[in-house]
């Protein structure tokens, strides 16, 4: 298991790129829309560390709701695993609450799924596979 990226909820990618790109110098390696999650994603990289800036494209999207409740900030941690489906069923067997029972297609066309923060100490966990 490897930390794949840290997802950060932002009101405006354009505004926050001034910090992450202009000030801290991370490279912007992708900018894309993920319509089924109602987000625009900017992927930044530095020395193998990836940061995802997540901006909602709709008032009722998960990122919009998150910001309304908690403000901007760290939204989730993503771990790369060999097999998302297998990891999900292992967690489910342990009684861990899942958001996605089956993997879906996320940014970059990767297989991914979310594990509910309830049983994870309040941290939303994303699982991703190449
Ligand atoms: Zn993510």
């Amino acid at each position: 298991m490897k930390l794949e990226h840290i997802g950060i909820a932002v009101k405006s990618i354009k505004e926050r790129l001034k910090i992450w790109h202009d000030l801290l110098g991370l490279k912007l390696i992708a900018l894309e829309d993920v319509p089924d999650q109602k987000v625009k994603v900017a992927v930044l990289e530095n020395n193998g560390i990836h940061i995802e800036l997540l901006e909602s494209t709709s008032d009722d999207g998960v990122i919009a709701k998150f910001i309304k409740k908690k403000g901007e900030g760290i939204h989730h941690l993503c771990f790369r695993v060999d097999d998302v489906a297998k990891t999900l069923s292992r967690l489910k067997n342990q009684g861990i609450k899942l958001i996605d029972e089956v993997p879906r297609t996320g940014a970059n066309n990767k297989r991914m799924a979310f594990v509910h923060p309830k049983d994870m100490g309040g941290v939303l966990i994303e699982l991703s596979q190449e």
Side-chain angles (χ1 to χ4, degrees):
M1 208 156 98
K2 175 182 180 276
L3 183 64
E4 156 69 27
H5 63 260
I6 299 167
I8 298 178
V10 301
K11 287 181 186 163
S12 161
I13 284 176
K14 194 169 163 259
E15 273 306 305
R16 292 308 172 215
L17 279 178
K18 290 177 188 166
I19 298 172
W20 293 97
H21 178 267
D22 302 352
L23 195 64
L24 295 176
L26 277 76
K27 254 182 296 180
L28 178 64
I29 58 170
L31 195 58
E32 64 179 304
D33 272 305
V34 186
D36 77 312
Q37 291 174 51
K38 298 177 181 170
V39 289
K40 207 159 76 179
V41 183
V43 184
L44 295 133
E45 191 267 344
N46 185 48
N47 276 326
I49 305 292
H50 293 88
I51 302 280
E52 268 187 9
L53 302 181
L54 306 159
E55 176 187 327
S56 192
T57 54
S58 154
D59 276 349
D60 66 347
V62 284
I63 294 301
K65 285 180 191 162
F66 177 90
I67 289 175
K68 242 174 254 169
K69 212 165 132 188
K70 298 185 173 174
E72 290 182 288
I74 292 179
H75 179 259
H76 66 270
L77 302 182
C78 176
F79 291 99
R80 186 185 301 166
V81 295
D82 292 334
D83 187 331
V84 171
K86 217 184 255 178
T87 307
L88 284 176
S89 71
R90 189 163 60 83
L91 293 175
K92 196 181 176 183
N93 287 339
Q94 297 296 313
I96 302 290
K97 186 173 178 185
L98 305 175
I99 291 174
D100 299 304
E101 299 267 327
V102 290
R104 51 178 151 140
T105 305
N108 250 330
N109 267 326
K110 285 178 184 165
R111 305 282 286 160
M112 53 82 69
F114 282 105
V115 180
H116 200 281
K118 179 182 167 278
D119 295 323
M120 305 302 281
V123 182
L124 176 62
I125 302 288
E126 177 183 351
L127 302 169
S128 156
Q129 135 189 13
E130 282 302 304

